Amino acid sequence: MENLGHWIDGKRVPGEAARQSDVYNPATGEVQAKLALASRDEVDAAIAKAAEAQVAWGATNPQRRARVMMALVHLINRDMDKLAEALSREHGKTFPDAKGDVQRGLEVIEYCIGAPQMLKGEFTDSAGPGIDMYSMRQPLGVVASITPFNFPAMIPLWGMGPALACGNAMILKPSERDPSVPLMLAELCKEAGLPDGVLQVVNGDKEAVDAILDNETVQAVAFVGSTPIAHYIYSRATANGKRAQCFGGAKNHMIIMPDADLDQAADALVGAGYGAAGERCMAISVAVPVGEDTADKLIEKLVPRVEALKVGPYTAGDDVDYGPVVTAAAKQNIERLVQTGIDQGAKLAVDGRGFSLQGYEDGFFVGPHLFDHVAPDMDIYRQEIFGPVLSTVRAGSYEEAIGLAMSHEYGNGTAIYTRDGDTARDFANRINIGMVGVNVPIPVPLAYHTFGGWKKSGFGDLNQHGPDAFKFYTRTKTVTARWPSGIKEGGEFNFKAMD
Ligand code: NAD
């Protein structure tokens, strides 16, 4: 069986492979490849090579680096279907969803073509007599990105684009569950003209991550994944003197006001709650209808829509709404949490338990679940389920609804459905959550804005992509320079006059 290996110094290498993990096809439940897990020594060697390669790359002018980004855009578009197919095969998401994953990453690479503009410094002419002052943004050196399974194209590209365009070398440690697309992207970077060693992809688990966190050459760490690991990585990276931005889990609430268009809200909830099998950090996992009447009508509209969802493998084409979850362990965890919901008194309005697909009995499929009458102290409300399970918490008033979202420990995304501008404006201003949608269920900011959650959904003070990324991947140097201009005696500079 193929060992996917690593991408080191511009080529695929098998690695020492003393330890390996299995890469599954979640639709069939079969192991389709093996993955070498890098040892600490292998990671250290990859970092040392990256540091060598970074010297020339950091000195390359920004426009040339931007041309690599431009070439990469063309190559990703050329290989879009190939990338999406590999992504669906390892992740399980539908083909259109996989293309969306690549597309949202691609948009950040497009944005990075403008890196020379973003990297321009500041200049003060004549800050004193004969004195000018200027600031420049310089690359950090070697940086690292540790990414989750759920967006194996988008999140690596969100890190790679700005980090490389700023002149850094990058160590990318993708999720061990779906590593093929990051390896393919590294290959495309080489084809686009990125010098060997500037992007090193090391596959691995905790041992590889800890090696990155402890290596003194690594200047900054970007992490996206679950909250406990985000917190661990943030703590260890910053304790070791590194810059860090670590994004964690989510429990995104959508508030449905009595004046909302309930058909629109129900459609939005089905797309945002069950798309990609609920394995999106911006998925809506909690619906909060305001008032009993709104709640009754909403549930009435949701039930047939949720029951009609088609679950299947990506190979079934456009006829499928969502695919399997990523692993057998993820499926078991979702099923366990559903059971706690029932045991703790929530009402299962759509019961997806026992779902099975003919011909795919060993696949990691989970049927759609809809809970009503969920209470804030239940496990299904407090924990991130990361599966096709939508919980409905009925609120008596707008204040109660906004209070629920504000008191939850996660603060990634949220949305409100209303026709009232005052309510929408109040919600957007008061809510303590990083990304807000008004009649938009998954408010993912575009590449030229920044993406990041608050509270336990994000540690660190700079967001992903947009202007923040150029700040995160550079440091500022400020120069004060004095030149003896205009002080001449007999056609020669009089340096003494400067004293
Ligand atoms: P995860 O935390 O299990 O893994 C993420 C990365 O951390 C992987 O590369 C993994 O190899 C590594 N890792 C896992 N355990 C580790 C350990 N003990 N020590 C060091 N490294 C470790 O997350 P996941 O299951 O791959 O992804 C799903 C999670 O990511 C969800 O919680 C989701 O909400 C979150 N997510 C958040 C965002 C965001 O922007 N906030 C975006 C996407 C996903």
Side-chain angles (χ1 to χ4, degrees), residues 328-364:
K331 177 177 155 99
Q332 278 160 18
N333 189 46
I334 295 162
E335 288 170 349
R336 179 188 64 76
L337 278 161
V338 166
Q339 192 55 48
T340 68
I342 296 164
D343 295 345
Q344 290 170 10
K347 184 177 166 242
L348 201 49
V350 177
D351 186 353
R353 288 176 298 169
F355 179 87
S356 178
L357 201 62
Q358 206 183 357
Y360 294 89
E361 287 79 3
D362 295 328
F364 312 137

Side-chain angles (χ1 to χ4, degrees), residues 209-487:
V209 172
D210 286 348
I212 290 169
L213 299 177
D214 295 341
N215 189 299
E216 285 187 1
T217 302
V218 175
Q219 298 297 307
V221 177
F223 171 87
V224 181
S226 60
T227 287
I229 310 298
H231 189 253
Y232 163 72
I233 289 180
Y234 186 76
S235 309
R236 190 151 166 175
T238 51
N240 285 338
K242 301 182 197 314
R243 189 178 288 189
Q245 55 169 206
C246 299
F247 299 95
K251 196 79 181 174
N252 303 320
H253 295 53
M254 182 165 128
I255 292 169
I256 302 99
M257 296 300 293
D259 65 353
D261 178 328
L262 290 184
D263 284 304
Q264 209 181 69
D267 287 340
L269 277 169
V270 171
Y274 301 91
E279 291 176 320
R280 290 182 184 138
C281 67
M282 290 293 276
I284 295 290
S285 48
V286 184
V288 189
V290 173
E292 284 299 315
D293 187 45
T294 314
D296 290 342
K297 285 184 187 146
L298 184 72
I299 292 288
E300 204 175 290
K301 288 182 186 294
L302 278 173
V303 168
R305 285 169 165 85
V306 175
E307 283 175 343
L309 283 168
K310 295 198 187 84
V311 186
Y314 76 95
T315 43
D318 291 346
D319 213 22
V320 168
D321 292 305
Y322 72 83
V325 297
V326 70
T327 56
K331 177 177 155 99
Q332 278 160 18
N333 189 46
I334 295 162
E335 288 170 349
R336 179 188 64 76
L337 278 161
V338 166
Q339 192 55 48
T340 68
I342 296 164
D343 295 345
Q344 290 170 10
K347 184 177 166 242
L348 201 49
V350 177
D351 186 353
R353 288 176 298 169
F355 179 87
S356 178
L357 201 62
Q358 206 183 357
Y360 294 89
E361 287 79 3
D362 295 328
F364 312 137
F365 292 97
V366 179
H369 296 75
L370 174 65
F371 275 112
D372 192 7
H373 296 286
V374 173
D377 59 349
M378 293 179 185
D379 291 351
I380 53 168
Y381 177 74
R382 287 187 297 107
Q383 294 181 30
E384 182 180 40
I385 303 176
F386 226 51
V389 183
L390 180 65
S391 297
T392 310
V393 183
R394 295 171 173 235
S397 64
Y398 166 67
E399 281 304 324
E400 191 186 330
I402 191 172
L404 269 172
M406 287 181 75
S407 342
H408 205 284
E409 63 173 352
Y410 291 118
N412 213 38
T414 188
I416 186 163
Y417 269 64
T418 180
R419 287 187 171 104
D420 184 77
D422 279 349
T423 310
R425 188 168 183 278
D426 179 76
F427 182 75
N429 282 339
R430 273 165 66 199
I431 197 79
N432 55 357
I433 288 174
M435 292 171 282
V436 182
V438 175
N439 298 319
V440 171
I442 303 190
V444 176
L446 291 174
Y448 42 92
H449 287 265
T450 72
F451 180 109
W454 290 14
K455 300 186 275 182
K456 292 218 170 126
S457 296
F459 304 92
D461 50 10
L462 288 170
N463 280 350
Q464 301 184 81
H465 64 67
D468 272 17
F470 286 88
K471 291 191 185 127
F472 184 75
Y473 288 112
T474 55
R475 57 188 151 194
T476 307
K477 185 183 280 173
T478 307
V479 179
T480 306
R482 184 169 72 169
W483 292 98
S485 74
I487 306 164

Side-chain angles (χ1 to χ4, degrees), residues 132-145:
D132 301 325
M133 194 174 284
Y134 58 98
S135 303
M136 44 191 171
R137 305 204 74 91
Q138 297 195 319
L140 300 174
V142 180
V143 299
S145 170

